[in-house]
Amino acid sequence: MGLLDFARDIGHKLFSNEDEAPTKITQHIEENNPGISDLQVSVEDGVATLSGTADSAAAREKAILMAGNTQGIASVVDNISAPEETADVTYYVVEEGDSLWKIAEKTLGNGAKYEQIFEENKEVIQDPDLIFAGQKLRITQA
């Protein structure tokens, strides 16, 4: 599963029907603004298309994760203009029974680095105790 593919039947429930999905996803991203301007969202058959301009590669990736980790979205088409990524970034799909501590142990080699994962994903994760299986997170290798 690549960055742009998501589990359609899980995630934050932001909309009741696909007609309201673009507005609700746009609001969700703008309320937790990861550095995106001129954001436009369209949704058709579970595919969200995002366009706009990002201040950084991280902001672009977080906007994609915010849209993709929404219930009813199976994939995200990325038309966001952003600078090139310079960090060593991986994406982790949360498994049943995971916590940020366990994810930090698996991906960063030290559970105490869970705060780094939370800080990097604070637009995606509103509460560090409320992650869910299937959710995709952005992890920067130090």
Side-chain angles (χ1 to χ4, degrees):
M1 180 163 35
L3 170 62
L4 304 178
D5 296 324
F6 295 86
R8 184 175 185 163
D9 59 342
I10 62 166
H12 302 288
K13 184 168 175 59
L14 297 179
F15 55 89
S16 298
N17 61 62
E18 203 163 88
D19 291 336
E20 66 182 22
T23 301
K24 297 292 188 177
I25 292 171
T26 300
Q27 289 172 343
H28 175 61
I29 293 171
E30 288 178 345
E31 285 172 3
N32 301 287
N33 190 349
I36 301 290
S37 58
D38 303 320
L39 178 64
Q40 294 185 7
V41 177
S42 64
V43 177
E44 186 173 329
D45 295 328
V47 177
T49 301
L50 305 181
S51 60
T53 304
D55 296 342
S56 65
R60 175 187 148 268
E61 293 161 0
K62 290 175 184 182
I64 292 166
L65 291 172
M66 292 170 75
N69 285 324
T70 299
Q71 190 174 46
I73 301 300
S75 62
V76 176
V77 175
D78 169 28
N79 292 326
I80 298 172
S81 173
E84 288 292 317
E85 179 64 76
T86 58
D88 183 12
V89 175
T90 59
Y91 298 91
Y92 181 84
V93 178
V94 177
E95 298 173 358
E96 193 68 40
D98 271 347
S99 65
L100 290 183
W101 184 281
K102 288 180 184 178
I103 295 168
E105 283 180 330
K106 290 179 193 178
T107 62
L108 301 173
N110 183 347
K113 292 186 177 183
Y114 75 94
E115 290 177 351
Q116 174 186 331
I117 295 173
F118 177 67
E119 282 301 313
E120 288 178 12
N121 289 279
K122 64 183 173 189
E123 296 87 351
V124 179
I125 304 170
Q126 302 291 309
D127 181 333
D129 295 323
L130 297 178
I131 59 173
F132 52 87
Q135 185 175 28
K136 221 175 240 193
L137 303 176
R138 179 183 187 275
I139 300 175
T140 303
Q141 302 297 316

